[in-house]
Amino acid sequence: MQTPCPFCNLPAERLVLESEWVMALRDSFPVLPGHTLIIPRSHVQSFFEASPEEVGEMLQLLREAREGLQSELDPDGFNIGINDGEAAGQTVLHFHLHLIPRFAGDVPEPRGGIRWIFPDKADYWSGRDE
């Protein structure tokens, strides 16, 4: 038996933004306050299956979500990420984009950003591996 998709039947009160093709909500397991997901309404597993309309509206909602978070939380930066495929860490097999507000001091060394998925390759600037 297949588990129902958690993004296909979201209650309207969970949404913080929405458009014809796309919706946005706060992550149920946020890594930091304001962690937001941008999700196409249609059930597609991969970014590469999303229609041009969905991708365009996702980018528009991404901008709107960022503006809202900037106003609400005043973060110092953002990480934007997609886990596309199980090998890339995708656990919910309905394409979604993460918008994560970042704050000065939230980790000891933020340089390298998403490169930290491979910690031994993240620090390319210090020369300690040479």
Side-chain angles (χ1 to χ4, degrees), residues 8-84:
C8 281
N9 292 300
L10 289 165
E13 60 270 9
R14 290 275 326 269
L15 305 183
V16 295
L17 292 168
E18 60 182 313
S19 66
E20 180 180 358
W21 299 92
V22 180
M23 55 195 162
L25 65 143
R26 296 292 190 259
D27 194 295
S28 295
F29 305 96
V31 296
L32 287 171
H35 182 169
T36 301
L37 303 178
I38 314 294
I39 308 165
R41 291 182 183 277
S42 67
H43 185 87
V44 294
Q45 182 171 328
S46 169
F47 168 84
F48 301 101
E49 296 171 0
S51 72
E53 293 84 6
E54 289 168 324
V55 171
E57 284 195 13
M58 287 185 83
L59 294 177
Q60 180 59 41
L61 247 61
L62 176 68
R63 287 181 181 276
E64 291 176 28
R66 182 224 178 256
E67 289 171 10
L69 291 168
Q70 195 67 54
S71 178
E72 178 186 342
L73 301 173
D74 194 29
D76 301 299
F78 291 89
N79 284 111
I80 302 164
I82 299 169
N83 301 319
D84 198 298

